[in-house]
Amino acid sequence: MPPSRLKLHVLSSGSGGNASIVEDTETGDCIAIDCGICKRDFLVRSSECGVDLSRLRAILITHDHSDHVCGLGVVLRGLAKQGALPPIYADEAVQRASGAIRKLRGDFEFKPLEIDGDLAISTIGVHAFRTSHDAASSCGFRFDCGDDSIGFMTDTGIVTPQAHDSLDRCRVLAIESNHDERMLWNGEYPYYLKQRIASDSGHLSNEACTAEISKLLWDGLEEIVAMHISKNNNTFPLATGTIQAMLDELDHPARLCCGRESRAVSV
Ligand SMILES: [Zn+2]
Ligand SMILES: [Zn+2]
């Protein structure tokens, strides 16, 4: 078994707001992914998870949708008051497309995020890979530290070959399980929105998430986090039930939990 040096704290996950933190438990250094929640939730939930935000070394942005960036300004100002000024890494197209980011560029340090490239932030290696989503640009991440690794992918209609390769042999996999297909198509959303969500540039269904995880199973996989679960088109039991049935069938002991909007979850 690989050592569990990294921790993933999902502060919030879902269309109401997204923010997560990857922590190197040996150094205390950490990296945030997205900032689509209010300052209070970001600060309080980080502290509940035992994260020392003075050790926040970077904020990475997956894409420009507001549920991933709307809290960036208030959180950055809150962090600055505590003396923390982490650089923000976002693809140039995301920086251009996001009004929230454009407003902040004069006051905070934004760096270009190279998708398909590698980055070292403190002791943590970061690899950004392209996802398939209806945003200016979008990506997921793989984090490596020592022999430990976390794969993180939300907001993608399909799993690109690059994404699949990047998620290979991770100890922790946080992958979007957005909707139950039957609930989506029988639900209240207008047809264009249903089509958008189910499209190749929308979101992964429970079935698609489960299929991808089944291809990524290996002996070192310990934790699975079902992410970005829709309030309207999914339920926690449906999302986890689909994944757990596959794990049971293949007799794999990985633990499974859900990222939530209402509270932080750490693995
Ligand atoms: Zn989203
Ligand atoms: Zn999105």
Side-chain angles (χ1 to χ4, degrees), residues 14-15 18 63 65 67-68 133 154-155 176 203 228:
S15 53
N18 294 276
H63 65 299
H65 286 164
D67 57 318
H68 297 258
H133 197 50
T154 68
D155 299 72
E176 166 170 75
H203 291 275
H228 216 295

Side-chain angles (χ1 to χ4, degrees), residues 50 59 62 105 113 130 133 137 143 189 193 208 219 229 232 245 253:
I59 299 177
T62 60
R105 280 211 281 198
L113 176 70
R130 195 164 292 288
H133 197 50
S137 176
F143 301 92
Y189 281 12
L193 192 53
D219 289 348
I229 294 172
N232 299 314

